[in-house]
Amino acid sequence: MEILAFGVQADEKPLIEEAFAGHHEVRCLDVLLNEDTAPIAAGHEIVSSSVNAELGGRVLEILAAGGTRMVAQRSTGFNNIDLDAAERLGMTVARVSYYSPYAVAEFAWTLAMAVNRRIVRASIRTRDFDFRLDGLMGRDLHGRTAGVLGTGKIGEAFARIAHGFGMRLLGWDIAENPACMQLGMTYVPKEQLLAESDLITLHVPLMPQTQHLIDAAALKSMKDDAILVNSSRGGLIDTAALVAELREGRFTGVGLDVYEAEAGLFFLDRSLEAVDDDTLARLVTFPNVLVTSHQAYYTRDAVGQIVETTVKNVLDYRAGRRSENVLVPRS
């Protein structure tokens, strides 16, 4: 049986091919899975999708009509998948429920430090042999307050690093994490966390309840010199409202590895095309904003775990087994 894998990055391809060797043949495509590319999967019982795949009802119908019976998504989040449609079509859907939390937490800290210490601006200057320090002044984070929205495995890993910096820790989640409390974290209402934190980081899943968790009111409640980092899902932040606050000169820095309208942009080379997303175009012009292309998870360790779990999900499906990774079971 040949597995068809969509949205495979060049660095990811050898890991996928090695992991599937001895189990199933796998064909890797660099195109993302969406309504235009779904017909390619005709004749393939199993397809594997990437985090930015568009798996709404129409795409799933096209896949099902072509004989696809399982979608193995290579990511934790599944807000891009119409699970009701998958169940109606009798399709099995599985995800990767766990991979290295350190990959994302460390990258969130990379964004925070880069905007705080003006690393991108400094690098651009020195390439032009401009070694002035004007406009590059950052601040110590030791003794300041880090607010962690979402204190699961990734939030906990972020908090451990913040603890190492000697920061005061505030947390917000539906359930308290004992490991975070042992670090000295105090759980407070979201409004208090936003108002008191110097560094705010988002590590919650995207669902209807968290859509625009950071809306216009939340942004206005933050300190004018706060640092905001999002390495979770773009829809957690109302980007238009964020742009409006940035135009007022607010925030020391904003680091975004995700963007709410990233589908069709991220993971692709659009450098020779006119991008018609005015909000994103404005966002990247601010000198205190750093946008990266959903790469926080992208370490050899994390991708290796993702690929290994994807292979396990496929083997479980073939054997009729069910695991915690299955979102829609085999009918």
Side-chain angles (χ1 to χ4, degrees), residues 19-256:
F20 272 103
H23 299 295
H24 295 288
E25 293 183 12
V26 61
R27 180 155 63 102
C28 296
L29 305 178
D30 58 2
V31 297
L32 297 175
L33 178 54
N34 54 39
E35 188 170 345
D36 293 329
T37 61
I40 300 173
H44 291 83
E45 182 181 347
I46 302 173
V47 300
S48 177
S49 59
S50 61
V51 65
N52 268 348
E54 298 174 16
L55 289 165
R58 178 56 184 155
V59 173
L60 293 175
E61 288 172 358
I62 295 172
L63 291 175
T68 298
R69 307 259 47 93
M70 182 201 187
V71 175
Q73 177 139 299
R74 304 187 307 279
S75 73
T76 299
F78 53 90
N79 54 285
N80 60 319
I81 307 174
D82 187 336
L83 299 180
D84 292 334
E87 184 174 12
R88 172 173 50 83
L89 293 165
M91 300 178 70
T92 298
V93 179
R95 62 163 179 161
V96 177
S97 58
Y98 174 85
Y99 60 85
S100 169
Y102 310 108
V104 179
E106 290 170 6
F107 194 83
W109 266 105
T110 300
L111 291 174
M113 294 304 295
V115 296
N116 178 40
R117 302 305 300 270
R118 313 294 196 269
I119 298 300
V120 175
R121 184 186 298 179
S123 176
I124 293 172
R125 282 189 186 179
T126 54
R127 283 178 178 270
D128 293 332
F129 294 93
D130 178 354
F131 300 103
R132 293 172 301 156
L133 297 181
D134 296 346
L136 301 183
M137 184 175 287
R139 58 178 174 172
D140 292 0
L141 292 179
H142 176 83
R144 289 189 161 85
T145 300
V148 184
L149 292 162
T151 58
K153 292 181 175 64
I154 297 174
E156 178 188 332
F158 186 96
R160 289 189 182 280
I161 299 172
H163 179 71
F165 271 85
M167 301 186 75
R168 173 190 176 219
L169 295 173
L170 296 180
W172 176 84
D173 208 327
I174 57 174
E176 297 178 351
N177 184 337
C180 290
M181 297 177 71
Q182 288 179 359
L183 296 171
M185 177 178 284
T186 301
Y187 281 85
V188 297
K190 183 185 72 171
E191 293 74 17
Q192 181 181 345
L193 183 150
L194 297 177
E196 296 183 10
S197 296
D198 301 290
L199 167 59
I200 298 164
T201 183
L202 308 180
H203 301 293
V204 300
L206 180 61
M207 54 186 66
Q209 303 94 308
T210 59
Q211 178 74 27
H212 287 179
L213 180 71
I214 304 300
D215 57 12
L219 291 163
K220 289 185 180 300
S221 71
M222 297 179 191
K223 295 180 178 181
D224 288 341
D225 60 354
I227 295 171
L228 174 63
V229 173
N230 185 11
S231 58
S232 184
R233 287 292 183 268
L236 298 175
I237 296 178
D238 182 340
T239 314
L242 175 60
V243 168
E245 295 302 310
L246 288 164
R247 292 180 64 181
E248 297 297 322
R250 301 191 63 224
F251 306 132
T252 289
V254 176
L256 304 175

